[in-house]
Each structure stands twice: as structure tokens, then as C-alpha cells.
Amino acid sequence: MPLTPTERDRLLLFTAAELARARHARGLRLNIPEATAIVADTVCEAARDGLRLAEAIDRGRAVLGPDDLLPGVSDVVTEIQVEAVFDDGTRLAAVTQPFGAEERNDAAPGAVLPGPDLPVAPEPVVTLAVRNTATVPVSVTSHFHFFEANPRLDFDRAAAYGMRLAAPAGASTRFDPGRTVDVGLAPIGGARVALGFAGLVDGPLDAPGAKEEALRRAAACGYLGAAEHHDTTEGAGA
């Protein structure tokens, strides 16, 4: 059965969560990967059940408590982020205090020492006006291929190809319903390969014809801001 990279990632998360649930059912206390998998999978399934973002986050937060975890896990894992498919599209769910709101003793043995500051945001090379036409807020994380962000976000998709938010790693930008936000974008670095996301590229960003094909897919799937550029490209090649 052929699967997209996103579908393979979802199955991997589900498998990890099922293994963690089996261990939990045997009375074992969970480590970081096990607890993270259960919370993330619970959020994804809540989205599949038709729940809204806030409801899915609440369900994920309620599935495990401190007594289900190995010592120190709740001190290390203070937020769990997962991309879940809701009725209105793929959205980021950030579950803060994922194991219930408890008072943590930061001076306790084994407490995590403060880490280094977040890396400095890259310099933006393009600024785009982005309007959220959906009826719910949409959040986009720092390293998401912005071209493939929620189809109800209206912006110049062609200009966003191969770009990500000019924001520190782990940060996100929220787009409220009906609002327009100016965002700075920077090129995706490294090997410049986009796998997963919305499945509009799934390969090297700079391969010959990759941008044109991604625009064609986006336009066919109804992504706002893509159709006009796709039509122009087709007309130029006629």
C-alpha cells in the first residue's frame, strides 16, 4: 500500500503510542519517548474525531499524569507539539504542561539546568502579507515549509516556495481568523529537501520543475494564493 511520508510518520507515531500503552497497561512508568508518543497520538486521534484544536489539546493534556511517568520526565517535557489533521486542515497543536498542571520543584535532585538561549532568528529575505480566511486560528511553526501552510491562509505561494518563517527554532506564528499579518521568511537551509508537510513537494526543493509541479498541486487542492501563479506559468509555456 503506497503511503506518503506524512502518512508513514503518522503510523510510526501510532505504533510508538501503542507500544507505550501496552507497557503502561503492565504497570510500567513511562519514559520521555513513550509519554510523548501517547500524548501526541491522543491529540491526533482527537482531531480525527472532529474535535476543535483547544479540545484536542485538552484531551492530550488529560491522558497522563505525573504518577504515570518515570522520575524527572515531567521536568524535562514541558511542551509537546504535533501537527494534527483537523476538519479545516493540518494545524499545529502545542500541548503545554502535557501531564497536568502540577507545581514543579526546580531545585529537586535531577532537575534540568537552564539551557542556552534560543538561536537567533535568521534574517528575512522576503516579507509577505498573510490573511487567514478560516473561521479558526491557524499556527505555523518556525521550520514548516511555509509554501505548504494551511490552504485557508491567503498569500503569495510562489514567493513562499522554499521558505520558512524567519523565527527561532521552535517558535510559531498565530494567524487569527480574518486578520492579515506581515511575516518575514527565510530560505530553508541544509540539503533543502521538503518531505511530509502537506505533500506538495516531497523531494528536493530546487530540482528542475519542482516549484512548478508544487504550484500545480497546490492549485489543484485549492490552496489560496497558488492558482494565479500556476495559471501564469502554464500560459508562459503554451
Side-chain angles (χ1 to χ4, degrees), residues 95-128:
V95 185
T96 57
Q97 296 182 318
F99 311 117
E102 60 167 328
E103 184 177 347
R104 291 187 171 87
N105 181 7
D106 292 336
V112 180
L113 295 175
D117 293 336
L118 287 173
V120 177
E123 191 71 24
V125 300
V126 63
T127 300
L128 296 181

Side-chain angles (χ1 to χ4, degrees), residues 35-97:
T36 300
I38 287 180
V39 172
D41 181 70
T42 298
V43 171
C44 289
E45 288 305 298
R48 186 67 180 84
D49 289 341
L51 272 64
R52 298 172 69 87
L53 177 61
E55 296 169 326
I57 290 174
D58 286 342
R59 181 177 289 185
R61 186 179 289 122
V63 70
L64 294 175
D67 292 340
D68 299 309
L69 313 174
L70 288 170
V73 171
S74 60
D75 293 312
V76 174
V77 184
T78 58
E79 182 177 84
I80 295 173
Q81 295 186 359
V82 62
E83 294 279 352
V85 181
F86 291 84
D87 289 345
D88 59 342
T90 301
R91 301 171 62 197
L92 174 70
V95 185
T96 57
Q97 296 182 318

Side-chain angles (χ1 to χ4, degrees), residues 3 8 22 30 80 94 101 103 111 122 135 145 149 154 161 163 196 198:
L3 297 173
R8 290 196 296 268
L30 304 176
I80 295 173
E103 184 177 347
T135 58
H145 184 203
D154 191 3
Y161 183 84
M163 299 283 184

